[in-house]
Amino acid sequence: VSLSASYFGYSLYNEILVGLAFSKNFSDKFSFGLQFNYLSSYSFASGRYFGSFVPQLGLNLKLTPDLYVGFSTFNPFQSYYSTELSRANVPSVFSLGGAYYFIPELVFRVQMDKEISSTYKLSGGFEYEMLKVLTLKLGAYRTDYLVPCLGVKTQMKRFDFHLNTELHPLLGLTTMASVQYRIKK
């Protein structure tokens, strides 16, 4: 069970996504997850929040001890929300990915995303656990541009801290941070 929240934007326009997720291992080889999200957006022009409930589903298969394949979808039923002036479509994203563990400390991840009304996004990268409390991440993704990414994860007891950055040719340097808390190890 997990609870997540994210915020994107600034005072004139922002989006908030809150999700409650449930996942279950059905065997050593197969797991399934379901997340219920509430997505809302605020626009200074309207002075109000508008939102919609959006489901998210995921499957993970362990093909070998070192190779995993997963599929997820965000908003598979093409939910939308209506504002005072228009109807805003929430993106429907379908993802297929994989992970290969060269050794337990070094993993290569690859993922392809397809949003219904746009082109494919291909991403890949390496994660290397240098110490039990420090992981380095290096990767890139490609849509219209090749965007390099760099990150670090550190662990302290039940907390994980992630700091990631990417260098987009149009948006410049973008930094993202997250904190995770595990109730049970």
Side-chain angles (χ1 to χ4, degrees):
V1 175
S2 74
L3 179 65
S4 65
S6 66
Y7 175 88
F8 169 80
Y10 62 108
S11 62
L12 299 180
Y13 177 82
N14 59 67
E15 294 179 358
I16 298 171
L17 179 67
V18 178
L20 179 62
F22 304 93
S23 63
K24 173 82 173 135
N25 281 336
F26 289 97
S27 70
D28 184 37
K29 305 267 184 201
F30 172 72
S31 59
F32 174 78
L34 174 64
Q35 182 164 324
F36 301 97
N37 298 300
Y38 183 72
L39 175 65
S40 68
S41 68
Y42 171 81
S43 171
F44 179 75
S46 69
R48 294 182 40 195
Y49 281 92
F50 297 94
S52 179
F53 287 98
V54 181
Q56 189 170 352
L57 306 165
L59 299 170
N60 193 29
L61 299 169
K62 182 179 181 180
L63 300 179
T64 71
D66 300 326
L67 182 63
Y68 294 77
V69 174
F71 171 79
S72 70
T73 178
F74 177 83
N75 190 25
F77 308 116
Q78 300 181 0
S79 299
Y80 64 91
Y81 57 91
S82 296
T83 67
E84 294 170 335
L85 303 174
S86 66
R87 179 178 125 161
N89 291 325
V90 177
S92 292
V93 181
F94 299 89
S95 303
L96 181 64
Y100 182 77
Y101 288 82
F102 294 100
I103 56 175
E105 297 83 14
L106 179 64
V107 61
F108 173 70
R109 299 183 192 278
V110 65
Q111 182 171 317
M112 183 174 16
D113 302 316
K114 174 65 172 123
E115 197 274 321
I116 286 183
S117 63
S118 65
T119 62
Y120 289 93
K121 175 183 171 184
L122 183 61
S123 55
F126 292 90
E127 291 183 10
Y128 179 62
E129 185 180 288
M130 293 179 58
L131 307 166
K132 282 289 183 196
V133 296
L134 182 65
T135 302
L136 296 180
K137 301 181 268 186
L138 176 67
Y141 68 86
R142 170 127 178 108
T143 51
D144 295 331
Y145 307 98
L146 183 64
V147 180
C149 307
L150 183 64
V152 64
K153 175 179 99 171
T154 185
Q155 295 174 305
M156 293 180 198
K157 296 188 180 179
R158 294 182 179 217
F159 285 96
D160 289 350
F161 300 94
H162 297 261
L163 181 62
N164 301 308
T165 188
E166 60 185 46
L167 184 58
H168 194 280
L170 296 178
L171 302 175
L173 190 64
T174 305
T175 304
M176 295 142 286
S178 71
V179 177
Q180 293 176 313
Y181 176 76
R182 288 180 307 283
I183 295 171
K184 189 166 95 171
K185 263 200 176 222

